[in-house]
Amino acid sequence: MLTKRIIPCLDVKNGRTVKGVNFLNLIDAGDPVELAEKYAKEGADELVFLDISATNEERATTLDLVKKVGEKINIPYAVGGGISSVDQVYKLLQHGAEKVSINSSAVRDPNLVSRISAAFGAQCLIVAVDARMEGDQWVLYTHGGSKSTGLELFSWAEKMEELGAGEILFTSMDHDGTKAGFAVDALREMNKRLSIPVIASGGAGSKTHFKDVFEQGNADAALAASIFHFGEIPIPDLKSYLKNENIPIRA
């Protein structure tokens, strides 16, 4: 059985790590390079580094920061934010990233997924999907959760897999920052439909939430931010708990 992954997420704006609730009311959470180094030492399996204002500001992810993070850690990390071309992906991989994450650009140009996957391999490409419940369905949002696409989440995720995505990073905007638990039902449905790994994001607030998302949501990895940034759940403690609960977790 494949082991489950614990992934801290660093949302970066103006060179600082930030965190909010439901994608709003952002507060400072520290220096991204220092946090990345700390998490690598604590046993994080991977990191996700998102330049959350890059798309709205119509610019590429800051390469200097990507390089600094890569120089400090020895674990895989993914970078997202403002990525809209194969050339940008190449530069990020050259600066130390192992994977890239795209969202808004995949909606704007779905074939970008195929081009990136063909150029670097599916294992390098995460397609991020931010969604919230509207009526009786999950609707996809872009531009840092500020623009509704009207697209239905699960069919979109299936299309991304068909085009060459290596993983799906699903963030529930309804659960983001609430610490009330992950969107377990939606994750279970997504895992039924996809054969590629699904990373759960949005809602982590306790150790049991991680157990639930792995056992009930069938997630391959769980991503969290504030509980790690503010020291509420140290990664070593979380991993020890999950091992004791018989969740297959990396050492």
Side-chain angles (χ1 to χ4, degrees):
M1 179 183 293
L2 290 176
T3 53
K4 306 296 187 178
R5 290 170 286 151
I6 302 298
I7 306 176
C9 180
L10 294 91
D11 293 329
V12 177
K13 185 175 184 179
N14 300 324
R16 298 288 293 179
T17 306
V18 295
K19 188 66 188 103
V21 177
N22 305 131
F23 284 39
L24 301 171
N25 303 317
L26 301 178
I27 61 173
D28 188 273
D31 178 81
V33 179
E34 291 177 2
L35 285 172
E37 187 174 15
K38 173 177 178 283
Y39 295 145
K41 289 178 179 178
E42 288 183 347
D45 298 302
E46 298 179 16
L47 295 177
V48 169
F49 164 69
L50 300 176
D51 190 337
I52 61 171
S53 58
T55 296
N56 285 330
E57 294 172 5
E58 298 182 349
R59 60 173 174 78
T61 300
T62 306
L63 288 173
D64 182 54
L65 194 53
V66 174
K67 184 178 180 181
K68 287 179 180 178
V69 170
E71 290 172 345
K72 292 290 186 179
I73 66 173
N74 59 356
I75 59 173
Y77 77 109
V79 177
I83 298 169
S84 59
S85 71
V86 171
D87 183 60
Q88 286 175 330
V89 174
Y90 175 77
K91 289 177 181 177
L92 290 167
L93 297 178
Q94 287 292 102
H95 279 72
E98 184 171 277
K99 304 177 184 179
V100 297
S101 173
I102 64 172
N103 182 344
S104 303
S105 60
V107 175
R108 185 169 56 249
D109 178 14
N111 288 323
L112 177 62
V113 174
S114 300
R115 295 197 298 274
I116 294 173
S117 184
F120 307 106
Q123 78 284 351
C124 288
L125 180 58
I126 300 171
V127 173
V129 290
D130 302 331
R132 62 165 25 118
M133 279 293 289
E134 294 184 359
D136 61 353
Q137 72 174 7
W138 286 89
V139 176
L140 188 74
Y141 277 69
T142 60
H143 294 77
S146 64
K147 293 186 179 182
S148 173
T149 65
L151 296 166
E152 192 272 328
L153 170 66
F154 301 120
S155 58
W156 176 254
E158 289 174 319
K159 180 177 181 179
M160 293 298 96
E161 178 178 18
E162 291 170 4
L163 289 175
E167 294 181 86
I168 296 292
L169 167 55
F170 165 48
T171 300
S172 166
M173 296 173 63
D174 297 327
H175 293 71
D176 175 69
T178 64
K179 300 181 184 178
F182 293 94
V184 170
D185 292 343
L187 285 157
R188 186 188 305 115
E189 179 64 24
M190 185 171 287
N191 272 282
K192 283 182 184 177
R193 299 193 185 205
L194 303 180
S195 60
I196 57 175
V198 175
I199 304 169
S201 171
S206 71
K207 296 173 187 175
T208 57
H209 291 156
F210 287 86
K211 178 186 177 184
D212 292 344
V213 81
F214 290 137
E215 287 187 338
Q216 301 174 30
N218 300 322
D220 297 276
L223 178 148
S226 61
I227 60 167
F228 297 142
H229 299 339
F230 303 119
E232 296 169 38
I233 302 179
I235 292 173
D237 291 357
L238 174 59
K239 286 197 158 188
S240 177
Y241 164 80
L242 291 171
K243 286 178 184 177
N244 289 336
E245 294 294 324
N246 297 313
I247 304 295
I249 203 80
R250 295 179 182 180

